[in-house]
Amino acid sequence: ISTVKWNSQIIDYTFVGMRNWLRLFSDNRFYTDLRNLVYYAAGFMTQCILFGFIIASLLDQKIKGEALFRTIIIFPFAVSGIVTGVAWRWLMQPTTGINLLFAQIGLENFQPTWNTHPQYGMFAVTIATSWQFTGYVMALYLAGLRGIPQELREAAAIDGAGTYATYRYVIIPLLMPVTFTAIVLTGMNSIRVFDVLASMSGSGPAFATDTLAFFMFQSTFGAYRYSLGAAIGAFMILLSGFLVIPYLRSMSGELER
């Protein structure tokens, strides 16, 4: 569809070659979305992987009430993206939510605009999405930690390795396959993010929180430019391939070994 002239409600399969792609690459909004994708991926992936690993490491200490804490942390993953977006949109309202809490503890001068900020709005969106997805990454890391033989930790302790050295030289290297999986999953989520953002701020001021998925949605179902929307979707699939193909090759290599 990205190579035909279907830019209205009337179906038109007239072949136009790469015209829709050239139109996409000449659109300033497309490059704004690519910039936003980099910002979003950096914030979202870092938060999910970092906090997911830290929480999993804490739960791996077999603390009392672990099952309860594990359920609470992974619960946001079961909440739909629309519900997450609506809840965080209220929390990030300039005069209510988190800002009201800041005012009550004496930080009246600290009143950020969160997801409506023209420069940092995308980073505010990552707070909501990482809150939703961190529990899933935590579960991946916790499963990986529980799969590490206790003998390896004991051997490291006998060799004089402390907690930091054990994690750095034993546990973290053994968790690299889990980290690779988490990178692929969070990267894929970064490329296709739509529901949370659509219910929080949409494109935002000056496309500050716009994404490729939202651009595709508006082009296809708002402006009825189906061929342009198909070009955007195809580009998103190509981006996903840069994550999925190396992952599949690594998995096939492990199966062969």
Side-chain angles (χ1 to χ4, degrees):
I1 296 178
S2 64
T3 58
V4 301
K5 188 182 179 181
W6 187 4
N7 290 317
S8 67
Q9 298 186 45
I10 300 175
I11 299 177
D12 186 354
Y13 289 137
T14 303
F15 181 75
V16 294
M18 302 298 292
R19 185 181 302 173
N20 293 303
W21 288 84
L22 295 175
R23 183 177 298 150
L24 175 63
F25 293 146
S26 63
D27 194 328
N28 291 331
R29 182 178 179 180
F30 172 72
Y31 295 100
T32 300
D33 290 349
L34 289 181
R35 182 200 64 191
N36 291 342
L37 172 60
V38 173
Y39 292 162
Y40 178 87
F44 175 71
M45 295 173 69
T46 300
Q47 291 177 79
C48 288
I49 294 174
L50 181 62
F51 290 118
F53 175 73
I54 292 174
I55 296 172
S57 299
L58 293 175
L59 292 178
D60 190 47
Q61 307 305 313
K62 297 179 175 60
I63 61 176
K64 187 175 293 186
E66 175 198 334
L68 176 62
F69 287 116
R70 188 172 63 240
T71 302
I72 293 174
I73 294 169
I74 204 172
F75 176 76
F77 183 70
V79 179
S80 71
I82 297 297
V83 174
T84 299
V86 171
W88 279 93
R89 182 178 63 185
W90 180 86
L91 288 172
M92 292 182 177
Q93 285 291 328
T95 57
T96 58
I98 301 175
N99 285 1
L100 183 60
L101 178 63
F102 287 151
Q104 290 179 347
I105 62 175
L107 298 176
E108 295 86 356
N109 295 328
F110 183 67
Q111 298 290 304
T113 54
W114 300 103
N115 58 308
T116 59
H117 195 283
Q119 292 181 324
Y120 308 113
M122 186 58 76
F123 290 109
V125 173
T126 64
I127 296 175
T129 52
S130 62
W131 171 83
Q132 183 185 32
F133 204 74
T134 294
Y136 182 75
V137 177
M138 177 275 296
L140 292 177
Y141 274 118
L142 186 58
L145 287 167
R146 295 289 165 82
I148 297 176
Q150 186 63 29
E151 292 79 7
L152 293 178
R153 306 183 191 223
E154 294 174 353
I158 293 173
D159 290 339
T163 302
Y164 173 77
T166 301
Y167 272 87
R168 180 178 179 182
Y169 297 108
V170 179
I171 295 178
I172 292 179
L174 290 174
L175 290 177
M176 286 307 296
V178 178
T179 302
F180 190 24
T181 301
I183 290 174
V184 172
L185 292 176
T186 54
M188 293 283 291
N189 191 291
S190 299
I191 294 172
R192 66 176 180 81
V193 60
F194 172 78
D195 47 2
V196 176
L197 187 140
S199 58
M200 280 187 68
S201 57
S203 296
F207 299 119
T209 56
D210 197 35
T211 62
L212 290 171
F214 200 75
F215 185 17
M216 178 183 67
F217 171 78
Q218 288 189 326
S219 298
T220 306
F221 302 106
Y224 303 110
R225 302 171 70 181
Y226 294 98
S227 294
L228 179 61
I232 300 171
F235 182 80
M236 292 170 62
I237 293 175
L238 292 176
L239 283 181
S240 302
F242 286 107
L243 291 171
V244 175
I245 293 175
Y247 177 74
L248 294 178
R249 294 187 62 179
S250 67
M251 292 296 293
S252 62
E254 291 182 4
L255 291 176
E256 291 176 357
R257 288 197 297 269

